[in-house]
mmCIF file of all heavy atoms in Angstrom:
data_model
loop_
_atom_site.group_PDB
_atom_site.id
_atom_site.type_symbol
_atom_site.label_atom_id
_atom_site.label_comp_id
_atom_site.label_asym_id
_atom_site.label_seq_id
_atom_site.Cartn_x
_atom_site.Cartn_y
_atom_site.Cartn_z
ATOM 1 N N VAL A 747 99.698 103.097 103.030
ATOM 2 C CA VAL A 747 99.983 101.699 103.367
ATOM 3 C C VAL A 747 101.428 101.526 103.832
ATOM 4 O O VAL A 747 101.715 100.865 104.803
ATOM 5 C CB VAL A 747 99.666 100.787 102.147
ATOM 6 C CG1 VAL A 747 100.228 99.381 102.366
ATOM 7 C CG2 VAL A 747 98.208 100.735 101.910
ATOM 8 N N THR A 748 102.356 102.201 103.116
ATOM 9 C CA THR A 748 103.761 102.106 103.521
ATOM 10 C C THR A 748 103.959 102.713 104.909
ATOM 11 O O THR A 748 104.685 102.130 105.727
ATOM 12 C CB THR A 748 104.635 102.844 102.484
ATOM 13 O OG1 THR A 748 104.428 102.288 101.206
ATOM 14 C CG2 THR A 748 106.098 102.750 102.833
ATOM 15 N N ALA A 749 103.361 103.818 105.135
ATOM 16 C CA ALA A 749 103.458 104.495 106.495
ATOM 17 C C ALA A 749 102.881 103.550 107.555
ATOM 18 O O ALA A 749 103.462 103.417 108.662
ATOM 19 C CB ALA A 749 102.769 105.833 106.495
ATOM 20 N N ALA A 750 101.752 102.931 107.286
ATOM 21 C CA ALA A 750 101.138 102.047 108.285
ATOM 22 C C ALA A 750 102.071 100.851 108.581
ATOM 23 O O ALA A 750 102.201 100.420 109.717
ATOM 24 C CB ALA A 750 99.781 101.594 107.786
ATOM 25 N N LEU A 751 102.676 100.282 107.522
ATOM 26 C CA LEU A 751 103.570 99.175 107.731
ATOM 27 C C LEU A 751 104.813 99.577 108.550
ATOM 28 O O LEU A 751 105.227 98.851 109.425
ATOM 29 C CB LEU A 751 104.031 98.610 106.393
ATOM 30 C CG LEU A 751 102.938 97.828 105.585
ATOM 31 C CD1 LEU A 751 103.490 97.468 104.211
ATOM 32 C CD2 LEU A 751 102.547 96.562 106.352
ATOM 33 N N LEU A 752 105.360 100.729 108.250
ATOM 34 C CA LEU A 752 106.463 101.232 108.983
ATOM 35 C C LEU A 752 106.137 101.507 110.437
ATOM 36 O O LEU A 752 106.926 101.208 111.346
ATOM 37 C CB LEU A 752 107.095 102.490 108.332
ATOM 38 C CG LEU A 752 107.834 102.226 107.038
ATOM 39 C CD1 LEU A 752 108.274 103.584 106.416
ATOM 40 C CD2 LEU A 752 108.980 101.301 107.221
ATOM 41 N N VAL A 753 104.975 102.060 110.676
ATOM 42 C CA VAL A 753 104.540 102.330 112.058
ATOM 43 C C VAL A 753 104.451 101.017 112.854
ATOM 44 O O VAL A 753 104.781 100.972 114.026
ATOM 45 C CB VAL A 753 103.214 103.114 112.080
ATOM 46 C CG1 VAL A 753 102.583 103.116 113.435
ATOM 47 C CG2 VAL A 753 103.421 104.532 111.608
ATOM 48 N N GLY A 754 104.061 99.930 112.211
ATOM 49 C CA GLY A 754 103.987 98.640 112.927
ATOM 50 C C GLY A 754 105.304 97.946 113.002
ATOM 51 O O GLY A 754 105.605 97.246 113.946
ATOM 52 N N TYR A 755 106.156 98.174 111.990
ATOM 53 C CA TYR A 755 107.423 97.442 111.907
ATOM 54 C C TYR A 755 108.537 98.027 112.760
ATOM 55 O O TYR A 755 109.231 97.293 113.446
ATOM 56 C CB TYR A 755 107.886 97.446 110.445
ATOM 57 C CG TYR A 755 109.273 96.800 110.285
ATOM 58 C CD1 TYR A 755 109.443 95.434 110.307
ATOM 59 C CD2 TYR A 755 110.366 97.633 110.052
ATOM 60 C CE1 TYR A 755 110.715 94.912 110.153
ATOM 61 C CE2 TYR A 755 111.631 97.093 109.905
ATOM 62 C CZ TYR A 755 111.814 95.725 109.955
ATOM 63 O OH TYR A 755 113.047 95.182 109.789
ATOM 64 N N ILE A 756 108.663 99.294 112.785
ATOM 65 C CA ILE A 756 109.759 99.974 113.484
ATOM 66 C C ILE A 756 109.766 99.665 114.990
ATOM 67 O O ILE A 756 110.817 99.253 115.502
ATOM 68 C CB ILE A 756 109.787 101.491 113.223
ATOM 69 C CG1 ILE A 756 110.169 101.722 111.745
ATOM 70 C CG2 ILE A 756 110.748 102.217 114.166
ATOM 71 C CD1 ILE A 756 110.093 103.165 111.286
ATOM 72 N N PRO A 757 108.670 99.787 115.708
ATOM 73 C CA PRO A 757 108.705 99.418 117.134
ATOM 74 C C PRO A 757 109.122 97.969 117.382
ATOM 75 O O PRO A 757 109.855 97.647 118.308
ATOM 76 C CB PRO A 757 107.330 99.710 117.674
ATOM 77 C CG PRO A 757 106.729 100.665 116.690
ATOM 78 C CD PRO A 757 107.374 100.335 115.353
ATOM 79 N N GLN A 758 108.601 97.080 116.541
ATOM 80 C CA GLN A 758 108.925 95.664 116.717
ATOM 81 C C GLN A 758 110.397 95.425 116.397
ATOM 82 O O GLN A 758 111.039 94.617 117.095
ATOM 83 C CB GLN A 758 108.040 94.787 115.791
ATOM 84 C CG GLN A 758 106.608 94.737 116.191
ATOM 85 C CD GLN A 758 106.421 94.156 117.591
ATOM 86 O OE1 GLN A 758 107.135 93.185 117.970
ATOM 87 N NE2 GLN A 758 105.566 94.727 118.360
ATOM 88 N N PHE A 759 110.932 96.101 115.405
ATOM 89 C CA PHE A 759 112.342 95.987 115.079
ATOM 90 C C PHE A 759 113.221 96.487 116.223
ATOM 91 O O PHE A 759 114.183 95.819 116.626
ATOM 92 C CB PHE A 759 112.688 96.787 113.786
ATOM 93 C CG PHE A 759 114.129 96.848 113.502
ATOM 94 C CD1 PHE A 759 114.801 95.767 112.954
ATOM 95 C CD2 PHE A 759 114.850 98.013 113.796
ATOM 96 C CE1 PHE A 759 116.160 95.877 112.687
ATOM 97 C CE2 PHE A 759 116.202 98.083 113.559
ATOM 98 C CZ PHE A 759 116.859 97.024 113.015
ATOM 99 N N LEU A 760 112.865 97.594 116.793
ATOM 100 C CA LEU A 760 113.635 98.159 117.904
ATOM 101 C C LEU A 760 113.543 97.243 119.130
ATOM 102 O O LEU A 760 114.548 97.014 119.845
ATOM 103 C CB LEU A 760 113.134 99.580 118.268
ATOM 104 C CG LEU A 760 113.379 100.635 117.184
ATOM 105 C CD1 LEU A 760 112.740 101.969 117.593
ATOM 106 C CD2 LEU A 760 114.841 100.804 116.910
ATOM 107 N N ARG A 761 112.378 96.687 119.367
ATOM 108 C CA ARG A 761 112.208 95.768 120.489
ATOM 109 C C ARG A 761 113.045 94.504 120.295
ATOM 110 O O ARG A 761 113.738 94.031 121.215
ATOM 111 C CB ARG A 761 110.747 95.393 120.662
ATOM 112 C CG ARG A 761 110.482 94.467 121.811
ATOM 113 C CD ARG A 761 108.945 94.280 122.031
ATOM 114 N NE ARG A 761 108.713 93.383 123.091
ATOM 115 C CZ ARG A 761 108.414 92.095 122.959
ATOM 116 N NH1 ARG A 761 108.276 91.568 121.746
ATOM 117 N NH2 ARG A 761 108.224 91.295 123.994
ATOM 118 N N ALA A 762 113.006 93.962 119.076
ATOM 119 C CA ALA A 762 113.804 92.751 118.771
ATOM 120 C C ALA A 762 115.297 93.042 118.908
ATOM 121 O O ALA A 762 116.048 92.189 119.426
ATOM 122 C CB ALA A 762 113.480 92.263 117.350
ATOM 123 N N ARG A 763 115.731 94.215 118.447
ATOM 124 C CA ARG A 763 117.171 94.526 118.578
ATOM 125 C C ARG A 763 117.553 94.679 120.041
ATOM 126 O O ARG A 763 118.633 94.183 120.449
ATOM 127 C CB ARG A 763 117.455 95.848 117.821
ATOM 128 C CG ARG A 763 118.936 96.127 117.756
ATOM 129 C CD ARG A 763 119.266 97.259 116.845
ATOM 130 N NE ARG A 763 118.703 98.487 117.434
ATOM 131 C CZ ARG A 763 118.881 99.710 116.955
ATOM 132 N NH1 ARG A 763 119.551 99.841 115.860
ATOM 133 N NH2 ARG A 763 118.359 100.765 117.550
ATOM 134 N N GLY A 764 116.738 95.267 120.871
ATOM 135 C CA GLY A 764 117.006 95.393 122.281
ATOM 136 C C GLY A 764 117.081 94.008 122.949
ATOM 137 O O GLY A 764 117.953 93.743 123.790
ATOM 138 N N LEU A 765 116.122 93.128 122.595
ATOM 139 C CA LEU A 765 116.147 91.801 123.167
ATOM 140 C C LEU A 765 117.399 91.009 122.721
ATOM 141 O O LEU A 765 117.938 90.229 123.480
ATOM 142 C CB LEU A 765 114.854 91.044 122.754
ATOM 143 C CG LEU A 765 113.585 91.566 123.444
ATOM 144 C CD1 LEU A 765 112.360 90.870 122.828
ATOM 145 C CD2 LEU A 765 113.631 91.389 124.956
ATOM 146 N N SER A 766 117.778 91.216 121.483
ATOM 147 C CA SER A 766 118.993 90.537 120.984
ATOM 148 C C SER A 766 120.248 90.977 121.765
ATOM 149 O O SER A 766 121.084 90.187 122.108
ATOM 150 C CB SER A 766 119.170 90.844 119.489
ATOM 151 O OG SER A 766 120.377 90.295 119.007
ATOM 152 N N GLN A 767 120.289 92.285 122.072
ATOM 153 C CA GLN A 767 121.432 92.808 122.859
ATOM 154 C C GLN A 767 121.401 92.224 124.276
ATOM 155 O O GLN A 767 122.425 91.874 124.848
ATOM 156 C CB GLN A 767 121.422 94.300 122.881
ATOM 157 C CG GLN A 767 121.757 94.923 121.567
ATOM 158 C CD GLN A 767 121.525 96.416 121.510
ATOM 159 O OE1 GLN A 767 120.876 96.994 122.391
ATOM 160 N NE2 GLN A 767 122.059 97.082 120.467
ATOM 161 N N GLN A 768 120.201 92.113 124.865
ATOM 162 C CA GLN A 768 120.095 91.515 126.196
ATOM 163 C C GLN A 768 120.496 90.069 126.193
ATOM 164 O O GLN A 768 121.185 89.577 127.115
ATOM 165 C CB GLN A 768 118.656 91.636 126.701
ATOM 166 C CG GLN A 768 118.237 92.999 127.152
ATOM 167 C CD GLN A 768 116.793 93.067 127.606
ATOM 168 O OE1 GLN A 768 116.020 92.107 127.437
ATOM 169 N NE2 GLN A 768 116.434 94.163 128.226
ATOM 170 N N LEU A 769 120.115 89.348 125.140
ATOM 171 C CA LEU A 769 120.512 87.947 124.988
ATOM 172 C C LEU A 769 122.002 87.801 124.896
ATOM 173 O O LEU A 769 122.595 86.927 125.492
ATOM 174 C CB LEU A 769 119.824 87.330 123.797
ATOM 175 C CG LEU A 769 120.095 85.842 123.508
ATOM 176 C CD1 LEU A 769 119.670 85.018 124.692
ATOM 177 C CD2 LEU A 769 119.387 85.426 122.228
ATOM 178 N N ASP A 770 122.665 88.663 124.105
ATOM 179 C CA ASP A 770 124.121 88.593 124.000
ATOM 180 C C ASP A 770 124.779 88.864 125.344
ATOM 181 O O ASP A 770 125.754 88.160 125.697
ATOM 182 C CB ASP A 770 124.618 89.655 122.957
ATOM 183 C CG ASP A 770 124.253 89.251 121.557
ATOM 184 O OD1 ASP A 770 123.942 88.081 121.277
ATOM 185 O OD2 ASP A 770 124.287 90.190 120.670
ATOM 186 N N ALA A 771 124.285 89.850 126.075
ATOM 187 C CA ALA A 771 124.847 90.128 127.419
ATOM 188 C C ALA A 771 124.642 88.955 128.344
ATOM 189 O O ALA A 771 125.548 88.574 129.090
ATOM 190 C CB ALA A 771 124.198 91.404 127.995
ATOM 191 N N THR A 772 123.472 88.323 128.283
ATOM 192 C CA THR A 772 123.189 87.153 129.117
ATOM 193 C C THR A 772 124.082 85.984 128.778
ATOM 194 O O THR A 772 124.607 85.273 129.625
ATOM 195 C CB THR A 772 121.717 86.770 129.008
ATOM 196 O OG1 THR A 772 120.920 87.892 129.356
ATOM 197 C CG2 THR A 772 121.398 85.596 129.904
ATOM 198 N N ARG A 773 124.347 85.831 127.504
ATOM 199 C CA ARG A 773 125.254 84.735 127.076
ATOM 200 C C ARG A 773 126.674 84.959 127.566
ATOM 201 O O ARG A 773 127.353 84.011 127.986
ATOM 202 C CB ARG A 773 125.284 84.621 125.552
ATOM 203 C CG ARG A 773 124.070 83.945 124.956
ATOM 204 C CD ARG A 773 124.201 83.759 123.464
ATOM 205 N NE ARG A 773 123.040 83.082 122.961
ATOM 206 C CZ ARG A 773 122.432 83.353 121.825
ATOM 207 N NH1 ARG A 773 122.905 84.330 121.066
ATOM 208 N NH2 ARG A 773 121.374 82.714 121.429
ATOM 209 N N GLN A 774 127.135 86.193 127.585
ATOM 210 C CA GLN A 774 128.459 86.499 128.106
ATOM 211 C C GLN A 774 128.516 86.205 129.580
ATOM 212 O O GLN A 774 129.514 85.637 130.102
ATOM 213 C CB GLN A 774 128.821 87.939 127.824
ATOM 214 C CG GLN A 774 129.090 88.218 126.374
ATOM 215 C CD GLN A 774 129.398 89.712 126.111
ATOM 216 O OE1 GLN A 774 129.139 90.565 126.950
ATOM 217 N NE2 GLN A 774 129.901 90.012 124.938
ATOM 218 N N ILE A 775 127.491 86.575 130.323
ATOM 219 C CA ILE A 775 127.427 86.282 131.745
ATOM 220 C C ILE A 775 127.439 84.791 132.004
ATOM 221 O O ILE A 775 128.145 84.278 132.855
ATOM 222 C CB ILE A 775 126.212 86.957 132.381
ATOM 223 C CG1 ILE A 775 126.364 88.482 132.384
ATOM 224 C CG2 ILE A 775 125.983 86.440 133.795
ATOM 225 C CD1 ILE A 775 125.094 89.226 132.753
ATOM 226 N N LEU A 776 126.669 84.053 131.186
ATOM 227 C CA LEU A 776 126.598 82.593 131.330
ATOM 228 C C LEU A 776 127.974 81.963 131.071
ATOM 229 O O LEU A 776 128.410 81.084 131.816
ATOM 230 C CB LEU A 776 125.559 82.016 130.345
ATOM 231 C CG LEU A 776 125.477 80.491 130.262
ATOM 232 C CD1 LEU A 776 125.070 79.950 131.635
ATOM 233 C CD2 LEU A 776 124.491 80.067 129.193
ATOM 234 N N GLN A 777 128.696 82.412 130.031
ATOM 235 C CA GLN A 777 130.001 81.892 129.742
ATOM 236 C C GLN A 777 130.959 82.147 130.882
ATOM 237 O O GLN A 777 131.774 81.281 131.244
ATOM 238 C CB GLN A 777 130.538 82.468 128.440
ATOM 239 C CG GLN A 777 129.813 81.944 127.209
ATOM 240 C CD GLN A 777 130.224 82.665 125.918
ATOM 241 O OE1 GLN A 777 130.890 83.684 125.962
ATOM 242 N NE2 GLN A 777 129.858 82.071 124.783
ATOM 243 N N SER A 778 130.867 83.350 131.469
ATOM 244 C CA SER A 778 131.736 83.686 132.592
ATOM 245 C C SER A 778 131.401 82.764 133.777
ATOM 246 O O SER A 778 132.336 82.281 134.452
ATOM 247 C CB SER A 778 131.536 85.157 132.988
ATOM 248 O OG SER A 778 132.212 85.446 134.125
ATOM 249 N N CYS A 779 130.155 82.556 134.029
ATOM 250 C CA CYS A 779 129.769 81.693 135.164
ATOM 251 C C CYS A 779 130.185 80.239 134.890
ATOM 252 O O CYS A 779 130.636 79.551 135.841
ATOM 253 C CB CYS A 779 128.248 81.721 135.364
ATOM 254 S SG CYS A 779 127.667 83.292 136.052
ATOM 255 N N GLN A 780 130.105 79.789 133.644
ATOM 256 C CA GLN A 780 130.526 78.435 133.350
ATOM 257 C C GLN A 780 132.024 78.273 133.546
ATOM 258 O O GLN A 780 132.505 77.260 134.066
ATOM 259 C CB GLN A 780 130.135 78.055 131.936
ATOM 260 C CG GLN A 780 128.641 77.849 131.759
ATOM 261 C CD GLN A 780 128.227 77.659 130.292
ATOM 262 O OE1 GLN A 780 128.890 78.162 129.384
ATOM 263 N NE2 GLN A 780 127.133 76.952 130.076
ATOM 264 N N ALA A 781 132.791 79.282 133.163
ATOM 265 C CA ALA A 781 134.243 79.262 133.368
ATOM 266 C C ALA A 781 134.574 79.208 134.843
ATOM 267 O O ALA A 781 135.478 78.441 135.277
ATOM 268 C CB ALA A 781 134.909 80.461 132.687
ATOM 269 N N ARG A 782 133.915 80.017 135.635
ATOM 270 C CA ARG A 782 134.164 80.002 137.073
ATOM 271 C C ARG A 782 133.765 78.642 137.710
ATOM 272 O O ARG A 782 134.439 78.189 138.646
ATOM 273 C CB ARG A 782 133.406 81.138 137.757
ATOM 274 C CG ARG A 782 134.031 82.494 137.451
ATOM 275 C CD ARG A 782 133.316 83.552 138.182
ATOM 276 N NE ARG A 782 133.919 84.855 137.881
ATOM 277 C CZ ARG A 782 133.640 85.982 138.530
ATOM 278 N NH1 ARG A 782 132.789 85.964 139.510
ATOM 279 N NH2 ARG A 782 134.257 87.087 138.196
ATOM 280 N N THR A 783 132.714 78.078 137.201
ATOM 281 C CA THR A 783 132.281 76.767 137.703
ATOM 282 C C THR A 783 133.318 75.720 137.393
ATOM 283 O O THR A 783 133.662 74.856 138.233
ATOM 284 C CB THR A 783 130.935 76.371 137.114
ATOM 285 O OG1 THR A 783 129.948 77.368 137.495
ATOM 286 C CG2 THR A 783 130.488 75.016 137.574
ATOM 287 N N ARG A 784 133.866 75.738 136.176
ATOM 288 C CA ARG A 784 134.933 74.785 135.819
ATOM 289 C C ARG A 784 136.128 74.958 136.714
ATOM 290 O O ARG A 784 136.739 73.995 137.165
ATOM 291 C CB ARG A 784 135.315 74.935 134.312
ATOM 292 C CG ARG A 784 134.276 74.376 133.354
ATOM 293 C CD ARG A 784 134.807 74.368 131.921
ATOM 294 N NE ARG A 784 135.071 75.689 131.446
ATOM 295 C CZ ARG A 784 134.246 76.479 130.798
ATOM 296 N NH1 ARG A 784 133.014 76.054 130.587
ATOM 297 N NH2 ARG A 784 134.608 77.687 130.326
ATOM 298 N N GLU A 785 136.515 76.243 136.926
ATOM 299 C CA GLU A 785 137.661 76.484 137.816
ATOM 300 C C GLU A 785 137.375 75.946 139.217
ATOM 301 O O GLU A 785 138.250 75.378 139.867
ATOM 302 C CB GLU A 785 137.944 77.983 137.890
ATOM 303 C CG GLU A 785 138.517 78.544 136.595
ATOM 304 C CD GLU A 785 138.648 80.071 136.661
ATOM 305 O OE1 GLU A 785 138.732 80.630 137.769
ATOM 306 O OE2 GLU A 785 138.656 80.689 135.577
ATOM 307 N N ALA A 786 136.169 76.180 139.731
ATOM 308 C CA ALA A 786 135.839 75.716 141.081
ATOM 309 C C ALA A 786 135.867 74.196 141.144
ATOM 310 O O ALA A 786 136.310 73.633 142.148
ATOM 311 C CB ALA A 786 134.454 76.258 141.486
ATOM 312 N N GLU A 787 135.351 73.528 140.104
ATOM 313 C CA GLU A 787 135.404 72.051 140.099
ATOM 314 C C GLU A 787 136.824 71.530 140.118
ATOM 315 O O GLU A 787 137.114 70.587 140.856
ATOM 316 C CB GLU A 787 134.684 71.521 138.835
ATOM 317 C CG GLU A 787 133.178 71.705 138.853
ATOM 318 C CD GLU A 787 132.535 71.354 137.549
ATOM 319 O OE1 GLU A 787 133.227 71.175 136.518
ATOM 320 O OE2 GLU A 787 131.302 71.274 137.500
#
């Protein structure tokens, strides 16, 4: 049962961690774009 739970949990955990990193990178890009927009305004 423990092995079955880990087999289901680990891929989802890795996927969630990858998506979290992508989200952080996207937020940084968004902040940079917002700063450039303020400068342009």
Side-chain angles (χ1 to χ4, degrees):
V747 168
T748 303
L751 288 173
L752 288 176
V753 166
Y755 174 76
I756 291 173
Q758 290 299 320
F759 172 77
L760 294 175
R761 182 173 179 259
R763 188 171 66 175
L765 291 173
S766 177
Q767 290 171 347
Q768 286 179 349
L769 180 60
D770 289 342
T772 302
R773 283 185 179 140
Q774 289 176 347
I775 292 169
L776 175 61
Q777 289 173 347
S778 173
C779 289
Q780 288 172 333
R782 287 183 180 191
T783 299
R784 285 189 297 269
E785 291 175 22
E787 288 172 349

